[in-house]
């Protein structure tokens, strides 16, 4: 986990792209200044309300069962209603979670923005939800990204990226290479290097490490 602490989501996305993997969430963004999360995922899944017996509980059930330091990833089916607000965020904060990421909308945004606790969502609404929780720590889809319990979540001001736990070593190899190429590109731009040099760096950034052609 420490290897991801200072990695930007853009670099993680580039690493996933090199490997032919998809892990970015669409339009799920931070609500306030607290906008950095690097943590393992704990998941909760919601679906349209049926009123049938045997519900899995509610979002507080998921929060109370989550390990401190994990991030709660909420699959609402990209609902256009709020699913959480200030009280849920405080419940997660006092449970010691690293943050909440939801593909729903949220309410109580003024209070959420004042908290030193990262909450990511697709937007803001007072339209009430007609959803019920149907699963905890199950595979979910959040903002178009597949998330399984234990996957690595990297979130910042640009958005949210998911690294499957089974792929973490492969992704870290690409991240290390990409971070060095980013430094090389910055130096080349500062030195006003020829376009051929810039274009070669851009080519290498798109090429998986180990398959990069060695130029004569």
């Amino acid at each position: 986990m420490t290897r991801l602490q200072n990695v930007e989501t853009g670099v993680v996305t580039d690493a996933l792209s090199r490997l032919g993997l998809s892990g970015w969430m669409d339009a799920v963004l931070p609500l306030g200044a607290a906008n950095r999360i690097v943590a393992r995922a704990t998941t909760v899944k919601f679906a349209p309300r049926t009123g049938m017996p045997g519900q899995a509980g509610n979002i507080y059930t998921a929060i109370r069962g989550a390990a401190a330091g994990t991030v709660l990833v909420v699959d609402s089916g990209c609902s256009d209603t709020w699913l959480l607000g200030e009280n849920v965020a405080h419940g997660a904060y006092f449970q010691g979670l690293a943050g909440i990421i939801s593909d729903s909308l949220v309410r109580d945004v003024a209070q959420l923005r004042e908290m030193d606790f990262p909450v990511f969502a697709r937007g803001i609404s007072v339209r009430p939800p007609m959803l019920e929780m149907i699963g905890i720590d199950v595979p979910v889809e959040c903002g178009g990204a597949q998330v399984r319990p234990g996957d690595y979540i990297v979130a910042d001001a640009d958005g949210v990226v998911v690294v499957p736990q089974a792929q973490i070593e492969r992704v870290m190899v690409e991240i290390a290479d990409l971070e060095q190429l980013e430094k090389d590109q910055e130096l080349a731009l500062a030195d006003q290097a020829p376009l051929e040099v810039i274009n070669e760096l851009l080519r290498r950034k798109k090429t998986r490490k180990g398959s990069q052609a060695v130029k004569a």
Side-chain angles (χ1 to χ4, degrees):
M1 186 70 69
T2 56
R3 293 181 293 173
L4 288 168
Q5 285 299 331
N6 298 312
V7 181
E8 297 177 354
T9 53
V11 175
V12 181
T13 296
D14 290 345
L16 291 172
S17 296
R18 276 182 165 191
L19 296 169
L21 304 175
S22 174
W24 41 89
M25 296 186 187
D26 295 323
V28 179
L29 297 169
L31 295 175
N35 60 21
R36 179 69 177 173
I37 302 173
V38 178
R40 304 289 285 271
T42 186
T43 62
V44 56
K45 184 176 181 64
F46 285 81
R49 187 180 299 166
T50 64
M52 297 294 289
Q55 291 188 40
N58 58 37
I59 197 166
Y60 292 103
T61 310
I63 289 171
R64 288 295 179 90
T70 60
V71 54
L72 185 67
V73 178
V74 182
D75 172 4
S76 75
C78 288
S79 171
D80 286 329
T81 67
W82 67 264
L83 188 57
L84 62 100
E86 176 193 9
N87 287 332
V88 169
H90 272 113
Y93 173 80
F94 289 118
Q95 183 71 13
L97 302 190
I100 299 175
I101 296 170
S102 176
D103 63 4
S104 69
L105 309 183
V106 300
R107 73 176 196 181
D108 306 330
V109 70
Q111 294 91 333
L112 291 175
R113 284 174 172 161
E114 292 177 355
M115 292 179 62
D116 185 23
F117 182 76
V119 176
F120 286 65
R122 287 195 305 112
I124 304 161
S125 179
V126 293
R127 180 184 291 274
M130 294 291 288
L131 302 170
E132 60 190 19
M133 193 173 75
I134 62 171
I136 298 174
D137 275 338
V138 296
V140 301
E141 182 179 324
C142 185
Q146 183 180 165
V147 186
R148 295 175 178 270
D151 282 349
Y152 294 84
I153 304 295
V154 180
D156 59 23
D158 290 333
V160 184
V161 186
V162 184
V163 179
Q165 55 183 324
Q167 301 287 350
I168 185 63
E169 294 303 327
R170 295 177 68 209
V171 172
M172 290 309 306
V173 168
E174 305 302 330
I175 285 174
D177 185 55
L178 284 162
E179 287 187 322
Q180 183 58 55
L181 288 170
E182 284 286 334
K183 294 175 183 177
D184 294 343
Q185 184 176 351
E186 289 176 6
L187 288 173
L189 291 170
D191 292 340
Q192 294 187 304
L195 280 176
E196 291 81 3
V197 173
I198 304 298
N199 288 334
E200 173 60 14
L201 288 168
L202 292 174
R203 184 195 69 80
R204 290 175 60 195
K205 286 172 71 174
K206 295 179 181 179
T207 307
R208 185 184 308 182
K209 184 173 176 60
S211 62
Q212 294 177 14
V214 178
K215 293 182 70 71

